[in-house]
Amino acid sequence: MSAHPESKIDCSKVYVKSSSFVNEETGEFDGAFAAVPIKKGELVEKGLMRRLPDGFDGNTCTYIFTWSKERPNKVWGMGSGCAPYYNTAHTEEANTKMVRTFDEDRFEIYAARDIEADEELTHTYISLEWRKCFSELNTIINGEQSATKPAAEAEAA
């Protein structure tokens, strides 16, 4: 079933279940998966971002989004749909790319390559290299050198 044509949120091609990255060391966590085959460049999901109150410190909470290009970041958001369940991967390995429209508080997620049905969906968190709450994850994804990279060098895409 697809979303109503006027809907600002559509995650009809995605479902959430236990992540394929779960192991004894990580414990249980969820991931987003393709419900259908998705072609490279095709819209996977679209949604809205709800900005969190001024003063909220997103450096300590992994479940929210960096919602500006400003560094240090002071704007944090809570995403709609299945977007909060996309796990991260190194840029070259991520199978989706999130396009953020900050001034309209909305996002679109596109397939970076062909994606098979039931494949886990990943994108590269723009704050992976500098948010304190991602320090261990950053080391796993990018290695030791990246974990010590200064915030000024962090990706702002």
Side-chain angles (χ1 to χ4, degrees):
M1 178 178 170
S2 61
H4 188 278
E6 294 180 32
S7 180
K8 294 180 179 184
I9 300 170
D10 181 3
C11 56
S12 59
K13 297 177 187 174
V14 183
Y15 68 96
V16 175
K17 68 176 189 175
S18 183
S19 175
S20 61
F21 300 115
V22 167
N23 60 43
E24 285 183 24
E25 195 174 318
T26 65
E28 282 292 317
F29 61 95
D30 292 324
F33 290 79
V36 297
I38 304 168
K39 294 286 184 196
K40 180 179 179 176
E42 188 177 333
L43 180 68
V44 177
E45 178 173 355
K46 68 179 181 177
L48 300 174
M49 197 63 59
R50 182 151 309 215
R51 290 177 187 238
L52 296 172
D54 289 344
F56 186 89
D57 183 7
N59 286 302
T60 61
C61 182
T62 60
Y63 301 109
I64 60 161
F65 290 80
T66 302
W67 201 244
S68 79
K69 290 183 180 180
E70 178 184 33
R71 301 294 177 264
N73 186 67
K74 295 179 186 130
V75 183
W76 307 97
M78 185 174 57
S80 66
C82 295
Y85 296 95
Y86 287 55
N87 289 307
T88 196
H90 197 272
T91 305
E92 291 79 28
E93 297 168 6
N95 57 13
T96 70
K97 169 111 175 108
M98 179 182 275
V99 176
R100 297 158 180 85
T101 306
F102 296 119
D103 61 335
E104 297 177 21
D105 290 336
R106 64 180 183 83
F107 63 87
E108 295 175 334
I109 300 173
Y110 292 91
R113 60 166 174 75
D114 288 352
I115 300 170
E116 296 179 20
D118 301 315
E119 183 177 343
E120 186 157 3
L121 301 172
T122 60
H123 73 94
T124 303
Y125 300 166
I126 64 171
S127 57
L128 178 63
E129 294 183 351
W130 56 266
R131 265 172 78 185
K132 294 171 192 165
C133 60
F134 292 145
S135 61
E136 285 183 46
L137 183 58
N138 183 37
T139 300
I140 293 166
I141 301 288
N142 291 316
E144 286 296 327
Q145 290 178 340
S146 187
T148 59
K149 192 177 203 180
E153 296 178 31
E155 177 185 358

